Amino acid sequence: MTFFRTTALCSLLMLLAMPVSARLQTGGIAPAVSATLLDGKTRLHFNAGRGPVRIVVFWASWCSSCRQELPQLEKLYRTYHGQGLELLAVSVDEEKDDIAAARHVAERLSFPVALEDAAAVDGFGRIRAVPTLFVIDRQGKLRLDGREGLQSEDIPALEKLLKSLLAEAPPS
């Protein structure tokens, strides 16, 4: 009996020690997000609950793939925002010059942008590469875990997913 208790306790401890990202799964409830935007004043909350379709993208000013992806996300946002699409770009920039560059990039975007250190995004786990994009449906479930980011040719697939999610009835 002691063996089983010890095994169960070790299993529980290993589960708790796992990074959050290992527990975040496509189809599971997405974590809530709270962030202070680059203006330093505006606070944005993406609750884990129901509502619009949401994209959370992690990026950096020095990332060439990010610089290619953000304008494409801007087009999607402008096209589908009126249908219930929300988007938050979270910059992982840390150096002063990179943060200034992130602010410059953000000036050309109509969706909200925050710095990672001003955002509560721990539920997404460690972001090891940028861009990394997550899509959350109207029921608050994670539908796309883009840990490796999207390539330019994947934007049509993203748009197809967004269209299908936006066509779902908003929760009452």
Side-chain angles (χ1 to χ4, degrees), residues 84-161:
L85 177 66
E86 296 294 335
L87 197 152
L88 173 65
V90 180
S91 169
V92 299
D93 287 303
E94 295 176 349
E95 301 296 324
K96 188 176 182 178
D97 290 343
D98 293 336
I99 291 171
R103 288 182 189 281
H104 180 71
V105 169
E107 290 172 357
R108 297 187 301 267
L109 302 172
S110 59
F111 52 80
V113 179
L115 292 173
E116 186 175 31
D117 68 354
V121 290
D122 294 338
F124 289 96
R126 177 183 250 171
I127 303 301
R128 297 176 191 260
V130 289
T132 300
L133 185 139
F134 298 88
V135 176
I136 303 160
D137 70 13
R138 292 186 185 272
Q139 285 69 42
K141 293 181 181 176
L142 183 66
R143 297 297 292 270
L144 176 67
D145 180 351
R147 296 260 170 208
E148 296 178 17
L150 291 174
Q151 302 301 318
S152 297
E153 60 271 13
D154 293 333
I155 294 297
L158 174 61
E159 185 170 17
K160 182 178 178 182
L161 172 63

